[in-house]
Amino acid sequence: MKTRLLIAAVLAVFVTTLVSAQSNALDKFFTSYMDDPSFTVVTISPKMFQMISKLDMEDMEPEVKDLLNNIKGLRILAREDYDGRQLYNEASSKINANEYDELLRVRDKDENVRIFVKAQGDVINELLLIVGGASEFVMLDLTGSIDLKTVGKLGGALDVPGIKHLEKMDEKH
Amino acid sequence: MSLQTFNNQVLPLRDKLYRFSLRIVGNTQDAEDVVQEVMVRVWKKKEDWKQWSNIEAMCMTITRNLSIDKKRNKHTRVTDMPDHYDEPSGDATPDEVTASNDLMSQIRAMMDELPEKQRSIIQLRDIEGYAYKEIAEILEIPLNQVKINLHRARLFLKEKIVKAKSYGF
Amino acid sequence: MDSNQVKILLEKYWQGETSVVEESRLKAYFRSDDVAEELEQYRALFQFFDAEALIKFHPVLKTPTRKSNTVRILSSAWVRGAAAAVILALGVYFFMIPGQENIDMRDVTYIDTYESPELAYEEAKKALFYLSGKMNKGVSTAANSLDKMKTLDEIVNAN
C-alpha cells in the first residue's frame, strides 16, 4: 500500500510539473502550495456546484443561492498566523495584466487587498481576491458568472454561523 | 435606507463587538460566531431600530448576552477545539514577542480570573473607553453598580500585580 | 506629568473615580519611556489595555477540519498526493484527447474538499461573505482616500 502511495506521489509531482507547464502562472502558484499542510485549501468543483444548486435547505438565503447557482468553481488557498505579505506579492506578480482587470486595491496598515476580474463584455466570469496581511494570506478564486452588485450587498458580516442559531435566539430573547 | 444605517452604524462596530465577546468567551472562534450572530440578529430587527435609543449600546448588550450563552453552553458540551483557538489573536509579530509579552499574558490571565461582570466592565471602560452611563446601559445595571464593580476589578488587578511582583516575576 | 501626579491619578484610578480623560493621561504616561521605577510594575496593565484595543475582527476562512471528515481522511500529504495524481492524471488524459483542447486546465486543481454539497454550500457562502467584506472595505477606503482607481460602485453600475 505504501509503495503504491509513493508511486502515486511521485507521479503526482511528475504530473503536476507537466500540467503546470501548460497552465497559467497562477494555477502553478496554487498547485505549488496546495499540498503544503500549513495551508488551508478549499476547492469546490463545478460538479459540486451543480449539486449545490439542487440543494434545498431551510435556511438558505435566496441571494446567496442565486449567486452560487451561477458560480462554477471555487478555490481558496489560505494561511493563518503567518506573515502573508510575501505570498501576497508573489501571487500578485503571477497575475497577467492582459487577462485580468484590477477591480480594486486596498492598502492599509494591516493588510493589502486586491481584487481582479476577468470579464467578457459586461459579464464577469472570474474573480480573484488576494489578501496579504501581517498574520494571514488568502487567495480566493471564483469562476462562473459573478454578480458583483449582489456580492457587495451581502455586507460581509452576515455570515453563516448566525443563521443556524437564529431560531433558538428568537425564542430566548 | 436600513442597509445604509446598518453599514454606517452597525458594521463598523464589529471590532468592538468582537473584542467584547472575546473577553467573555475566551476564544476567537466563538467570538467570531457571536459577532456574526449579533449582526444577523440586529439586521433582522431593523424595523425596531427607530425605537432603540442607542444602537451601539444595544449591539453591545446583545453581544454580551450571546457571549454568556455561548460560554454557558460550552461547559455542557464536549469540544473538539484545538488549543490554539483559545488564545486571543493579538497581531503581534514574533519580533514583538518580548519579556513584556510575558507580563501581558499574566495580565490576561488575571483578567480571566475576574467574574464576568467585572471583566466586562474593565473591557468596556479601560479598553473601549465607554462612559459610565453607557456601560450601565450596556450591562443593564444601575450606575453605582458599574462604579462599585469597576473599583473591585481594578483593585483585584492591582493586588495581583503587586503580588506577582513580590514573587519575583 | 511628574510621578507624584501620576501616583495621585493612579490612586483615583484604583478607586474607580477617574474620568476618561484622566485614564487616557495615565495610558499616555505608561506608554512613555520615563516611567518611575516604583510604577514600572503597572506598565504592563496599561500596555495590555492598549494592545487589546487593537484586536480586529477579521474572520479568516477556517480550516475545514472541524466540519469535514473528508479533510481528515485526506490529511496526510501522501494520500493527498495520491489523490492529486489520479485526478491530475485524468485531467492530463482528457486534455490530450483531440478536440478537447479547450478544457479548462483549472479543473485539474478542483479536487473537492467536501463530499457533501451542504458543507460545500456553507463554505462557498462563507467565501462570498468574506469577499463581500473585502469589497466593502475597498469601497470605504476608496471613498476615504479619494482613490483614483475605479471604485466598486462604478464597476457595478457600469454593468
Side-chain angles (χ1 to χ4, degrees):
Chain A
M1 190 63 187
K2 244 194 171 144
T3 358
R4 203 182 298 168
L5 287 179
L6 186 70
I7 293 167
V10 172
L11 186 68
V13 173
F14 172 72
V15 174
T16 311
T17 333
L18 196 102
V19 168
S20 308
Q22 302 166 357
S23 62
N24 72 38
L26 206 62
D27 285 345
K28 208 190 285 180
F29 177 81
F30 191 87
T31 15
S32 66
Y33 289 108
M34 66 186 273
D35 285 336
D36 182 337
S38 49
F39 284 84
T40 301
V41 180
V42 173
T43 48
I44 299 176
S45 68
K47 197 171 152 248
M48 187 57 84
F49 272 107
Q50 273 175 18
M51 287 162 78
I52 289 175
S53 69
K54 287 177 196 131
L55 274 182
D56 186 20
M57 298 193 295
E58 261 182 32
D59 49 13
M60 286 172 128
E61 295 96 330
E63 63 269 34
V64 173
K65 199 152 192 295
D66 286 350
L67 281 168
L68 293 181
N69 283 349
N70 293 308
I71 289 172
K72 302 228 153 31
L74 166 69
R75 295 188 300 179
I76 300 167
L77 180 71
R79 187 161 175 183
E80 288 173 65
D81 302 324
Y82 175 78
D83 189 337
R85 287 170 290 202
Q86 201 192 324
L87 275 172
Y88 169 88
N89 291 335
E90 191 184 333
S92 299
S93 71
K94 306 282 183 206
I95 289 154
N96 184 345
N98 298 326
E99 271 185 274
Y100 293 90
D101 292 322
E102 185 157 12
L103 181 65
L104 64 87
R105 187 198 296 221
V106 185
R107 188 182 300 148
D108 66 21
K109 62 180 190 327
D110 302 317
E111 62 178 18
N112 296 312
V113 178
R114 289 176 93 169
I115 299 179
F116 296 89
V117 292
K118 218 187 248 184
Q120 267 172 347
D122 283 348
V123 182
I124 289 171
N125 45 35
E126 181 176 351
L127 183 145
L128 188 69
L129 166 77
I130 309 174
V131 180
S135 60
E136 72 172 312
F137 169 79
V138 175
M139 182 171 113
L140 192 154
D141 183 19
L142 277 173
T143 46
S145 77
I146 295 147
D147 175 5
L148 280 181
K149 209 175 207 164
T150 312
V151 174
K153 276 186 188 153
L154 294 176
L158 310 176
D159 204 355
V160 200
I163 311 287
K164 280 184 237 146
H165 306 294
L166 205 71
E167 268 62 43
K168 266 187 283 165
M169 271 168 11
D170 280 348
E171 284 163 22
K172 254 185 280 178
H173 294 275
Chain B
M1 176 266 166
S2 54
L3 183 67
Q4 205 179 355
T5 315
F6 187 81
N7 281 344
N8 294 339
Q9 298 192 32
V10 182
L11 270 189
L13 296 176
R14 54 188 145 178
D15 292 338
K16 245 184 225 184
L17 303 182
Y18 175 66
R19 292 191 289 260
F20 190 24
S21 177
L22 194 57
R23 182 62 58 219
I24 297 169
V25 298
N27 74 78
T28 54
Q29 178 69 46
D30 283 348
E32 280 169 16
D33 287 356
V34 167
V35 176
Q36 313 285 18
E37 288 177 26
V38 173
M39 294 288 171
V40 175
R41 205 178 135 72
V42 171
W43 176 249
K44 293 226 167 172
K45 296 263 175 222
K46 52 184 175 291
E47 278 76 31
D48 305 342
W49 290 351
K50 273 181 231 106
Q51 290 141 42
W52 296 359
S53 57
N54 182 340
I55 288 191
E56 178 163 346
M58 187 58 111
C59 292
M60 293 294 273
T61 306
I62 298 171
T63 302
R64 176 177 184 236
N65 292 340
L66 291 179
S67 301
I68 292 173
D69 279 359
K70 193 110 197 168
K71 181 94 181 165
R72 197 176 294 142
N73 292 339
K74 201 88 186 177
H75 284 305
T76 56
R77 185 156 48 94
V78 184
T79 138
D80 57 352
M81 209 79 76
D83 284 339
H84 68 269
Y85 276 115
D86 290 327
E87 285 160 22
S89 73
D91 282 340
T93 64
D95 299 327
E96 291 157 17
V97 179
T98 54
S100 83
N101 223 330
D102 214 46
L103 272 170
M104 301 267 267
S105 53
Q106 280 181 40
I107 305 267
R108 180 170 292 125
M110 292 170 190
M111 288 280 285
D112 289 343
E113 285 179 50
L114 288 169
E116 182 278 324
K117 196 190 282 174
Q118 294 184 20
R119 206 178 337 140
S120 291
I121 292 177
I122 291 278
Q123 175 73 24
L124 296 173
R125 178 69 183 189
D126 284 332
I127 294 167
E128 307 296 353
Y130 280 104
Y132 296 129
K133 212 176 119 234
E134 290 170 305
I135 299 175
E137 192 177 345
I138 292 168
L139 302 184
E140 299 170 308
I141 55 174
L143 200 64
N144 67 326
Q145 281 293 311
V146 175
K147 290 198 140 200
I148 291 168
N149 280 289
L150 180 65
H151 169 56
R152 282 188 195 143
R154 282 178 179 169
L155 222 53
F156 173 86
L157 292 173
K158 183 195 177 194
E159 281 163 11
K160 278 272 173 187
I161 291 168
V162 172
K163 213 180 275 173
K165 194 206 169 204
S166 64
Y167 287 139
F169 282 106
Chain C
M1 199 162 44
D2 70 52
S3 63
N4 279 329
Q5 269 180 297
V6 177
K7 270 184 242 165
I8 295 166
L9 265 190
L10 253 185
E11 218 31 66
K12 245 178 117 180
Y13 172 81
W14 304 126
Q15 297 304 316
E17 299 290 345
T18 34
S19 67
V20 173
V21 175
E22 287 170 325
E23 283 160 22
S24 62
R25 283 175 67 198
L26 277 174
K27 281 187 197 166
Y29 172 79
F30 284 103
R31 244 176 258 139
S32 73
D33 286 334
D34 43 11
V35 173
E37 212 183 317
E38 60 200 302
L39 298 176
E40 185 63 38
Q41 55 183 328
Y42 302 121
R43 190 202 278 268
L45 181 66
F46 291 92
Q47 276 181 342
F48 174 79
F49 294 151
D50 275 346
E52 290 291 299
L54 295 176
I55 293 175
K56 291 245 157 58
F57 175 69
H58 47 142
V60 261
L61 298 140
K62 295 289 180 208
T63 37
T65 32
R66 285 179 59 234
K67 283 180 178 176
S68 159
N69 291 326
T70 333
V71 175
R72 215 167 294 143
I73 294 162
L74 294 180
S75 65
S76 108
W78 287 120
V79 181
R80 261 193 293 169
V86 171
I87 292 170
L88 289 172
L90 282 174
V92 169
Y93 175 71
F94 285 118
F95 185 72
M96 286 169 172
I97 293 174
Q100 295 214 2
E101 289 92 334
N102 58 349
I103 191 170
D104 190 350
M105 282 318 289
R106 197 155 288 128
D107 289 353
V108 300
T109 58
Y110 280 138
I111 304 156
D112 267 305
T113 309
Y114 301 100
E115 278 175 346
S116 99
E118 284 86 1
L119 292 178
Y121 169 79
E122 294 293 337
E123 189 69 40
K125 182 167 147 188
K126 213 157 79 173
L128 283 179
F129 276 102
Y130 181 78
L131 170 66
S132 181
K134 296 299 174 196
M135 277 167 56
N136 287 318
K137 183 176 175 180
V139 173
S140 59
T141 312
N144 287 341
S145 63
L146 295 169
D147 205 313
K148 289 201 186 65
M149 270 186 45
K150 268 197 245 180
T151 65
L152 187 65
D153 273 349
E154 289 173 75
I155 298 258
V156 161
N157 293 327
N159 281 337

